[in-house]
Amino acid sequence: MSHPRSLSSSPQRGAGSRAAAWLRTSDGGLLVLALLVGVGAALLALVFRWLISTFTYLLSGFDDYAAHAGEANPWVPWLGPFFVVLTPVVAGLVYGPVVRRFAPEARGHGVPEVMYAVARNGGRIRPQVPAVKAFASALTIGGGGSVGREGPIVQIGSAWGSTLGQWLRMDESRLRVLVACGAGGGIAATFNTPLAGVFFAMELILADFAAQAFGMVVVSSVTASVISRAAIGDEAFLSLPGIEVGHVWEFALFAVLGLLGGALGVGFSKVLYAVEDLCDWVWRGPEWLRPAAGGLLLGLVLLVLPQMYGVGYPVLDDAVGGQYAIGFLLVLLVGKMIATSLTIGIGGSGGVFAPSLFVGAMFGAAFGQAASLLTDGSTSSAGAYAVIGMGAAFAGATRAPITGVVILFELTGDYALILPLMVAIVLATGLSHRLTKETIYTLKLARRGVDLLRNPETIAVRRRVRDVMLEVPEPLPAGTRMADAVEVLARSGGVLPLVDADGEYVGTVTAATIAHHLADGASDDDPVSLVEQHPDRLRTDDSLADALAALEAARAPAVPVHGAADGAEEDRVVGWLTYPAALSGMR
């Protein structure tokens, strides 16, 4: 290993640098950052909601056109209801080039991109994503796109948390926590559901319930929810009459609804990606023009069924309130699946969380009305079945049963629904597992060759470190001043090997250990050898399971790789292994 080039002196660390180091490495710092992420997620959610309302008003003439379906746009009354054919085209002409130029990952529903960032990219999301996603999604929804706002706000909040963590140069494990904090805060602020925000982040984004991460996500979600409630009030998402389960035998109906709703959720996933495949096959023009060209077809769907304009909360509320007949409920169900799939397929930006609730509500309300007719009105209200259908369809599509139960309880505020919801959602989740390997979120990644659901243990045991290790970075001499080492470490991922005067490997040094040392009052002139570390020896023929254990034990973003035991290079460092390299080898 060769000596590094001479290093120039870096300026003395001031109070700001010490504060940044504290935020970056301490539990108290992570708590402060979780709170800041919650504040930012709430403010971004409020801005996003304002953008949706503004674009909807500008393009349709109403705050929410779904509540005035079929009426003429007051800005162009001479077009009558036919204006809806043009609004998706106009919106697509604006957001299509913006997404294509600045952040292609802002296309689609957002949550899979966050899941990928956490599982495969160390929690890193590009800083321009929040602005592009907010603009594109608000314009998509305001222009008639039949998608939800929860997927975008998850990506927006997560990107804010990731940007803050990257700016502070946090290690990947803590960066992932901030991404989850942003997702939870975004959900909490958007729906006024702090508990649902927490469980959405833990169950879907992190796929882990570690105590520290859970606590930080709680702080972020509660903070975001408090700010959101102060700004927009504390009203339940749906207004339901008092609900009571009339007979014990009615739980059998809830179970049937859970199974059928779970199958519906899986079917919605299949339709969504089938339509996207069809759009990919048909479209041969430039990608930036695809939303506008496809917007014409979406506009024709809106002309036939204007209730599909935007998110559709007024229509959902009317369905839960029993305002529609069975036949029309089924029309709305099919219409939503087509309109949402088409919006995503043509390159629109928006979530599928709310559409899955919508189709579940339509099916549940129709099921409830049919049950009432067959039992001569002795069942619970159709509204109760609508809410249970929402949970079942959501669970079938996402396989997130805890989130499904919690969010619907918080959205409705009705404890009487808990037991029926639990029955239906558990059955829906179980059926979804039997019907398909993927969820509505992971299927998008699987189509790109990324399998988040594949058992990593088998791969980790089979693959060797030599298959994924990187070139050894230029090392630091053990006598390098800490002040000089900080700048080099900041540019090299936070960890480097150390060599002695003869160029022989003696250990590693991390930015975190130097920060702790200096925070305790050490001198900038101290040599880095004072804080050198000696990770467990990892060899080229070790498995990736061994590698992950070594990385975890070292509590560092990278470790050196030695030659194979009993080989000519067994005492030499021949490679370098990082978390992203190890995880990429497990795909």
Side-chain angles (χ1 to χ4, degrees), residues 282-473:
V282 170
W283 182 248
R284 293 292 182 269
E287 282 300 309
W288 65 267
L289 189 59
R290 177 168 166 167
L296 185 62
L297 183 58
L298 175 60
L300 293 175
V301 173
L302 296 177
L303 182 63
V304 175
L305 203 60
Q307 290 83 359
M308 297 298 102
Y309 197 107
V311 181
Y313 287 144
V315 181
L316 178 61
D317 196 53
D318 287 343
V320 173
Q323 302 299 310
Y324 302 133
I326 294 176
F328 190 58
L329 287 168
L330 297 178
V331 169
L332 291 174
L333 184 158
V334 174
K336 191 66 173 182
M337 293 176 69
I338 294 173
T340 298
S341 301
L342 189 57
T343 303
I344 298 295
I346 65 175
S349 179
V352 295
F353 184 117
S356 69
L357 296 181
F358 187 102
V359 298
M362 299 306 116
F363 181 76
F367 184 94
Q369 289 190 33
S372 180
L373 291 174
L374 292 174
T375 60
D376 198 23
S378 61
T379 58
S380 301
S381 68
Y385 283 88
V387 174
I388 294 166
M390 291 165 69
F394 171 79
T398 67
R399 290 212 289 270
I402 300 175
T403 302
V405 171
V406 171
I407 196 169
L408 285 167
F409 169 62
E410 285 194 288
L411 289 177
T412 62
D414 196 327
Y415 186 78
L417 286 171
I418 288 293
L419 290 180
L421 272 173
M422 291 172 67
V423 169
I425 286 176
V426 167
L427 290 173
T429 303
L431 182 64
S432 177
H433 274 288
R434 296 300 299 269
L435 293 178
T436 179
K437 173 186 175 184
E438 306 292 343
T439 72
I440 198 169
Y441 296 134
T442 62
L443 184 55
K444 182 176 182 179
L445 298 175
R447 287 154 54 88
R448 301 176 185 170
V450 179
D451 191 350
L452 295 184
L453 296 181
R454 185 168 51 172
N455 183 2
E457 294 181 3
T458 302
I459 305 166
V461 171
R462 186 175 68 246
R463 297 206 67 184
R464 303 292 105 184
V465 170
R466 60 175 171 267
D467 298 330
V468 298
M469 70 182 189
L470 307 174
E471 183 179 351
V472 182

Side-chain angles (χ1 to χ4, degrees), residues 526-549:
D526 286 345
V528 293
S529 59
L530 291 179
V531 293
E532 71 182 46
Q533 297 177 319
H534 306 91
D536 295 339
R537 183 160 289 197
L538 188 66
R539 299 189 180 279
T540 55
D541 54 353
D542 286 339
S543 69
L544 288 186
D546 296 326
L548 290 173

Side-chain angles (χ1 to χ4, degrees), residues 54 195 255 445 479 486 521:
T54 300
L195 279 176
L445 298 175
V486 168

